Amino acid sequence: MSRDDQPDLLSDLSDLDFVRHLLADLHGDLPGKVGRFRMLTDLGGQMGRSRTMIFGGHAAYHAWVEARSSFVHGNYVATILLCQGLVEHLLAAYLHAGLLVDDIPDRIQFADTLRRCREREVISDEDVTDLRRMMALRNPLSHFRHVDDCSNLDRRSIDESRSADDLLSHDAIFSIGLAVRMLSRPAFRLG
């Protein structure tokens, strides 16, 4: 029996069927995807012609690449989670790699990273406020919150009379914009 003759144990769809599904998915919300890609390209101009140095190794780099892709494809929860992870890695790795802090713990808390970066003027007071806001957006997506908790997505939707999708879109735009702003800071900007 050849490989082509053997049935797929998980699906009875052919490769062509999968291609059809993928094309339909790619076509769905095409204007939205183009608009988000355009927004991301426009935001990227803040990083300058030479772009930026991403401290934090592969974890930070892939968080950035996947955050951009997630944003373009409308995967807003993933965008928020990835942007938070990117910024945590970026700032702590900068402190470590820049030899600005010789006593950085192996597992530094984000609040401590923010404090240390602010003390060294790597980030501004406004950045700290916005980074805490992004952390507050990420936490209820990562950790269970009862519907009575004001940070619960469903509670926010009810309280603000907006759909959860609309809130997530808004939060993702904020998060990706903040990630770009961090990557555009003088500490990370090349040239």
Side-chain angles (χ1 to χ4, degrees):
M1 180 186 291
S2 74
R3 183 186 182 292
D4 294 333
D5 295 334
Q6 185 173 352
D8 188 335
L9 296 176
L10 302 176
S11 174
D12 59 353
L13 296 175
S14 70
D15 287 350
L16 185 56
D17 292 330
F18 279 112
V19 168
R20 286 184 183 125
H21 285 287
L22 285 171
L23 287 174
D25 184 55
L26 288 172
H27 184 267
D29 189 34
L30 191 58
K33 290 176 184 176
V34 169
R36 288 186 295 275
F37 188 64
R38 183 178 306 281
M39 181 187 302
L40 192 55
T41 301
D42 291 345
L43 285 171
Q46 296 176 27
M47 290 190 271
R49 289 181 21 188
S50 298
R51 298 295 176 193
T52 190
M53 173 67 158
I54 299 178
F55 288 85
H58 286 97
Y61 171 75
H62 287 284
W64 174 234
V65 169
E66 292 180 23
R68 292 182 317 188
S69 177
S70 294
F71 180 69
V72 168
H73 289 283
N75 300 319
Y76 300 130
V77 170
T79 301
I80 297 162
L81 298 175
L82 289 163
C83 287
Q84 171 72 25
L86 163 67
V87 171
E88 285 200 38
H89 281 272
L90 180 74
L91 295 176
Y94 177 78
L95 291 173
H96 179 69
L99 302 176
L100 296 172
V101 178
D102 56 358
D103 65 338
I104 190 168
D106 290 342
R107 292 184 175 192
I108 190 169
Q109 297 292 314
F110 189 50
D112 192 23
T113 299
L114 292 180
R115 180 186 56 77
R116 291 173 188 235
C117 284
R118 181 62 196 116
E119 287 172 355
R120 289 156 182 85
E121 298 183 358
V122 175
I123 57 177
S124 68
D125 288 336
E126 179 186 3
D127 294 335
V128 171
T129 299
D130 287 346
L131 289 164
R132 286 185 177 141
R133 177 179 166 205
M134 184 168 57
M135 185 172 52
L137 294 172
R138 183 214 54 133
N139 283 342
L141 298 173
S142 296
H143 310 289
F144 174 77
R145 300 291 189 267
H146 190 277
V147 74
D148 291 334
D149 187 304
C150 65
S151 66
N152 175 290
L153 182 60
D154 296 319
R155 170 56 48 200
R156 287 179 58 212
S157 177
I158 293 166
D159 290 347
E160 297 181 33
S161 298
R162 294 170 62 187
S163 72
D165 291 340
D166 185 46
L167 289 171
L168 288 171
S169 170
H170 183 265
D171 295 347
I173 290 168
F174 169 77
S175 297
I176 199 82
L178 183 55
V180 169
R181 191 168 94 208
M182 291 299 99
L183 290 167
S184 300
R185 299 287 302 162
F188 310 111
R189 193 172 175 160
L190 299 174

